[in-house]
Amino acid sequence: MESSPKIALITGANRGLGLEIARQLGQRHYLVLLGARHEAAGRAAAALLVSEGLRAHYLPLDITLPDSVAQAAATVERDYGRLDVLVNNAVYFTRENQNPSQIAPDLLHHYLNTNFVAQVAVTQACLPLLHRSAAGRIVNMSSSIGSFATMGETLHTTPRLAAATPLGYSASKAALNMFTTLLAKELRLTSIKVNSADPGRTQTDMGGPDAPNTVEYGAKVAVWLACLDEDGPTGGFFAYQKANNW
Ligand SMILES: NC(=O)c1ccc[n+]([C@@H]2O[C@H](COP(=O)([O-])OP(=O)(O)OC[C@H]3O[C@@H](n4cnc5c(N)ncnc54)[C@H](OP(=O)(O)O)[C@@H]3O)[C@@H](O)[C@H]2O)c1
């Protein structure tokens, strides 16, 4: 008889890294729930993975809407009774001016709300379900652009990053990293592990076609952290199988 699969929820899974993380977890025999805010896109992404022989379902989820978050958690509880993996992947990103001297307060608020506050809210809604897993795993999709070390130290050393001053995106990912640190501390006596993942610049709508990493490679760090065994780290910030500077 087939054993019951592990259940993984990936937010923003209708395209980009979220879809590929879902695919790679599906290939590792997880049942994957593809969180997406637009029904047609979510259903199409789930159907694509099903056509590849994977166990995938669309889960309606706009991470910025409290009712949607509550409904998604209730659906997972009703259908599966627990959650083994949560990948906080969905992101807000625009090409608008984010220079610290000029960013509009509304835009800054939008970044912090989607990339930090909403990620915390989704996690809080899923925590009761993750506590019912034998080995819950939370992966927060972060970025070296949210690293104080990288953004500070490269001021004079890395021309591409020296010119990059995206306050909204950077601050939201730095805040997400602090969530990783403090939640891991709070959960240190449980079996749940919490880590931040840095996929590197990846060929998605956000990363652009010239990014160095393929989507297959970019997804690997999140999949690795989602599948950590008992001896694996918690409260860390990682590129694929390598620690990042905070
Ligand atoms: N690509 C890179 O170079 C790179 C580098 C470092 C870190 N990352 C991180 O990796 C993660 C994935 O990035 P990506 O490149 O795959 O981004 P992407 O291609 O722009 O995809 C973003 C995903 O987030 C979803 N989303 C946005 N707002 C949402 C909301 N309110 N509720 C639910 N879903 C929402 C989008 O859905 P819609 O289709 O409905 O818009 C889409 O599925 C992000 O956390 C990003 O910060 C990416």
Side-chain angles (χ1 to χ4, degrees), residues 11-18 35-38 41 61-64 88-93 114 141-144 169 173 197-208 211:
T11 67
N14 52 289
R15 59 186 168 99
L17 282 159
R37 58 182 167 169
H38 295 123
L61 176 55
D62 184 324
I63 66 165
T64 61
N88 283 312
N89 169 80
V91 68
Y92 176 74
F93 183 77
T114 304
M141 289 298 278
S142 184
S143 169
S144 56
Y169 185 72
K173 293 297 185 180
D198 173 14
R201 251 191 343 127
T202 303
Q203 295 154 11
T204 63
D205 292 342
M206 190 188 126

Side-chain angles (χ1 to χ4, degrees), residues 45-214:
L48 176 66
L49 297 192
V50 168
S51 76
E52 296 170 11
L54 308 178
R55 278 182 282 200
H57 298 283
Y58 156 61
L59 184 70
L61 176 55
D62 184 324
I63 66 165
T64 61
L65 300 179
D67 286 352
S68 175
V69 172
Q71 185 57 53
T75 301
V76 177
E77 160 133 53
R78 183 198 65 204
D79 292 350
Y80 308 103
R82 68 166 207 288
L83 190 63
D84 298 295
V85 169
L86 170 65
V87 182
N88 283 312
N89 169 80
V91 68
Y92 176 74
F93 183 77
T94 69
R95 310 252 173 233
E96 283 173 79
N97 185 343
Q98 297 182 51
N99 288 338
S101 63
Q102 293 160 314
I103 186 169
D106 279 358
L107 185 60
L108 184 57
H109 185 268
H110 212 119
Y111 270 102
L112 291 171
N113 187 48
T114 304
N115 299 353
F116 174 53
V117 177
Q119 316 282 336
V120 174
V122 169
T123 306
Q124 289 176 346
C126 290
L127 266 174
L129 297 164
L130 287 155
H131 277 295
R132 291 196 209 138
S133 169
R137 302 288 178 258
I138 299 169
V139 182
N140 293 323
M141 289 298 278
S142 184
S143 169
S144 56
I145 305 296
S147 155
F148 284 92
T150 302
M151 295 311 279
E153 285 168 12
T154 56
L155 195 58
H156 303 294
T157 56
T158 309
R160 188 182 68 79
L161 287 179
T165 52
L167 182 65
Y169 185 72
S170 288
S172 67
K173 293 297 185 180
L176 184 67
N177 280 351
M178 184 57 78
F179 179 51
T180 294
T181 301
L182 298 188
L183 184 64
K185 263 176 86 170
E186 188 184 350
L187 298 179
R188 69 194 178 284
L189 301 180
T190 76
S191 60
I192 299 176
K193 295 184 187 296
V194 190
N195 289 288
S196 280
D198 173 14
R201 251 191 343 127
T202 303
Q203 295 154 11
T204 63
D205 292 342
M206 190 188 126
D210 300 331
N213 290 347
T214 63

